[in-house]
Amino acid sequence: MFDFFRRKKTQTPADTAKPEGAQEHYSIEELAAAFPSREPVADVVEPVEPAPVEAEAPRAAEPVIELVEPAKPAAPEPVPAEVIAAALEVEPVAVAVAALPADADIAAPPHPIAAPAAPGKPGWRERLRSSTFARSFSGLFSRHPRLDDDLLDEIETALITADVGVSATTQLVESLRKRMKAREFVDANALLAALRADLIAMLKPVAQPLHIDTEAKPFVLLTVGVNGVGKTTTIGKLAKRFKDENRPLMLAAGDTFRAAAVAQLQAWGDRNGVPVVAQGQNADAASVAFDALQAAKARGTQVLIADTAGRLHTQQGLMAELGKIKRVLQKLDTSAPHEVLMVIDGTTGQNALSQLRQFHAAVGVTGLVVTKLDGTAKGGVVFALAREFAIPIRFAGIGERPEDLRVFDAEAFVDALLPEALGA
C-alpha cells in the first residue's frame, strides 16, 4: 500500500507548471483506491449547498418539550392572631371572627372522662356489666333452663373463667350440687338465687369500711402495691373523700422513683387544697414519710396518707424497703402505720393472690382497694381474695371520677355481676 506513494506520476503540463518543492495533494478517488476498506467521505468533505430553510412539521415519534416557567410559590396563609399572641405572651389583636364564650371548651379531650356512676346499686350494675363475670352468666341460665349436671358444669366453667379460683369455685359448685340432689331447687331460677346468696355470704365478712381512729394524731395510712395499679390516683380520690368529710389531712409523696409521681400527687393536693410533703427525685422514701409524720404531728393533722413506689412482689430487696418505711414511722409513733392499704388491679387475675401474699408478709396488709373494675375486668378475683386471706376490702374503683371510688358493698357487687332473675 505504501508503494503507491513512492511511484512517480506521469508528468502533465499542469504538473510541470508547479513550483519545485510544492506539496502534492491527492484526490478523494486516489485516497479511496489506496484505502479500500474506508467508505468514501466525499459527502462529508465536499461543501454542500445549504438547502432553503423550510418549516418542518414536528416529528411524531419525538415528544415536543415545552419550557414552562416555574409557578410562583403561593403566599403563606396568615397566622391567626391568637397563635401569635400566645407565642409572644401579649394580648391578641382584634380579629374578624366572633369570640368564643368564656366558658366554652376550646378543644375536647380525646378521651373524655365519663360522668360519675349513679348512686346505689344502679351505678354498680352500670359499670360492671362489661366484666367477664357478668358476660359469662348473662345467658347461661337461659341456655340451660334444666336442673342437671350440665348446668352445674357450665356454672363451674364460668366461675373459673372469671378468676374466682379453683378452691372457691369447687366450694360453690359442690354446695349447689348437694342441694340440687336434695331437691331444694324448684327450677333454675331458684338455683340462681342460691348461687347469689352463697357469693354474698363469701364477701360479707370482708366488706368492712375504713374506720378513722380519731384518737390517733395523726391516723397514718400507708398505701402499697405493684406498679401501675393506681396507688397515686387512689390517694387523690381518698383525699377528696376525707376533705369532703372535713378531716384535716396531709399527703406524703413517697413515690420518689417513678418520674412525675411527686408532681402528680402535688396536683391532687392542689386540686383538693391539701398540703403535700415532698422531696426531690430519688430521695429516700422512709425519710419523706418521717418528715411528713413530724409535720402532721406539729400541725395537728388528723389523717396522713403516705404514698410509696410501685414494686414487684418478687423483688425481695424492694419489699424490704417497705419494712424500713414502717420501722422509721414507728420511731415517732409506735402504732403507725394504723392502716396498710394495698391497691390491687381488678384486671390482674389470680396473680393478685401472689402479690397480696408477699406484701402481707412484708408489711402486714390491713385493707384492700380493688381498682379498675369497670370495663373488661373479670371481677372474680375479689371472691378468691376474700376466701383465702379474709382481709377487709375497704374500697372498689368503678370509674375515673373521685366519686367512683366506692365503699365496698358485697350485695351491690354481686347484684351487678349476677341478675336477680333470669333475663334481667
Side-chain angles (χ1 to χ4, degrees):
M1 179 175 64
F2 294 97
D3 293 341
F4 171 79
F5 296 101
R6 297 191 183 94
R7 289 182 301 176
K8 298 185 65 177
K9 297 174 59 179
T10 306
Q11 297 292 327
T12 60
D15 296 332
T16 58
K18 292 180 180 179
E20 186 177 359
Q23 186 176 1
E24 294 184 354
H25 294 279
Y26 299 98
S27 65
I28 297 176
E29 289 78 4
E30 291 175 340
L31 292 174
F35 300 93
S37 61
R38 298 277 184 170
E39 295 290 337
V41 292
D43 295 339
V44 179
V45 177
E46 293 182 359
V48 180
E49 290 292 333
V53 178
E54 296 180 0
E56 295 182 359
R59 297 180 182 179
E62 297 180 0
V64 179
I65 302 176
E66 297 181 359
L67 181 61
V68 181
E69 290 291 335
K72 296 181 179 181
E77 297 182 1
V79 180
E82 291 82 355
V83 178
I84 299 177
L88 299 179
E89 296 183 356
V90 297
E91 293 294 331
V93 297
V95 292
V97 297
L100 293 175
D103 57 348
D105 293 334
I106 297 177
H111 300 288
I113 300 177
K121 290 184 179 181
W124 288 83
R125 193 179 302 115
E126 173 191 352
R127 294 301 173 86
L128 271 64
R129 69 175 64 178
S130 299
S131 65
T132 303
F133 197 110
R135 287 186 282 110
S136 299
F137 281 91
S138 59
L140 190 149
F141 289 92
S142 60
R143 296 192 306 267
H144 300 82
R146 297 180 56 185
L147 293 175
D148 53 15
D149 290 337
D150 292 338
L151 175 59
L152 294 178
D153 292 341
E154 289 292 334
I155 293 176
E156 183 178 14
T157 302
L159 291 173
I160 293 178
T161 304
D163 279 336
V164 175
V166 177
S167 300
T169 298
T170 303
Q171 176 184 345
L172 291 169
V173 173
E174 290 302 320
S175 175
L176 293 176
R177 193 184 306 275
K178 292 179 181 179
R179 299 171 65 181
M180 186 179 69
K181 291 182 177 181
R183 300 184 181 276
E184 294 186 16
F185 306 135
V186 178
D187 52 14
N189 198 10
L191 187 145
L192 172 61
L195 177 59
R196 284 169 47 88
D198 291 345
L199 292 174
I200 293 175
M202 187 177 293
L203 296 180
K204 272 286 188 181
V206 299
Q208 302 176 17
L210 177 63
H211 173 68
I212 303 297
D213 185 7
T214 57
E215 298 297 329
K217 295 293 180 121
F219 181 87
V220 181
L221 193 154
L222 181 67
T223 59
V224 298
V226 300
N227 311 70
V229 296
K231 294 186 304 301
T232 306
T233 303
T234 300
I235 291 175
K237 295 178 179 180
L238 286 175
K240 175 68 166 56
R241 172 182 291 272
F242 294 151
K243 191 70 175 180
D244 293 342
E245 296 175 357
N246 297 321
R247 298 181 183 273
L249 72 150
M250 183 181 294
L251 305 180
D255 186 356
T256 59
F257 179 77
R258 180 171 62 90
V262 175
Q264 181 185 0
L265 193 64
Q266 288 174 337
W268 276 106
D270 295 339
R271 186 181 308 175
N272 298 314
V274 177
V276 179
V277 176
Q279 295 183 10
Q281 185 75 16
N282 296 325
D284 185 12
S287 175
V288 176
F290 185 86
D291 293 345
L293 183 54
Q294 278 187 328
K297 283 181 172 293
R299 298 186 183 185
T301 302
Q302 186 176 5
V303 179
L304 171 63
I305 307 178
D307 192 10
T308 60
R311 64 202 69 220
L312 292 177
H313 58 286
T314 56
Q315 301 294 327
Q316 298 300 325
L318 298 178
M319 297 299 294
E321 290 183 1
L322 289 178
K324 175 185 175 182
I325 296 175
K326 185 176 181 179
R327 292 191 303 270
V328 169
L329 289 174
Q330 290 176 347
K331 292 182 179 180
L332 292 177
D333 187 347
T334 56
S335 60
H338 305 90
E339 178 80 6
V340 179
L341 201 61
M342 180 174 177
V343 183
I344 295 178
D345 189 340
T347 63
T348 302
Q350 290 296 300
N351 192 36
L353 301 177
S354 301
Q355 296 176 10
L356 179 53
R357 189 176 295 109
Q358 297 298 328
F359 276 92
H360 187 53
V363 289
V365 177
T366 58
L368 301 177
V369 178
V370 184
T371 61
K372 306 178 185 180
L373 287 174
D374 56 319
T376 58
K378 295 184 177 181
V381 68
V382 176
F383 300 97
L385 293 171
R387 183 183 183 278
E388 182 166 345
F389 298 99
I391 295 177
I393 301 177
R394 308 297 192 185
F395 300 96
I398 60 173
E400 299 180 12
R401 296 278 187 176
E403 299 82 1
D404 292 331
L405 184 66
R406 301 284 186 89
V407 175
F408 185 72
D409 187 343
E411 293 185 4
F413 182 74
V414 174
D415 181 73
L417 298 180
L418 281 179
E420 295 182 359
L422 294 178

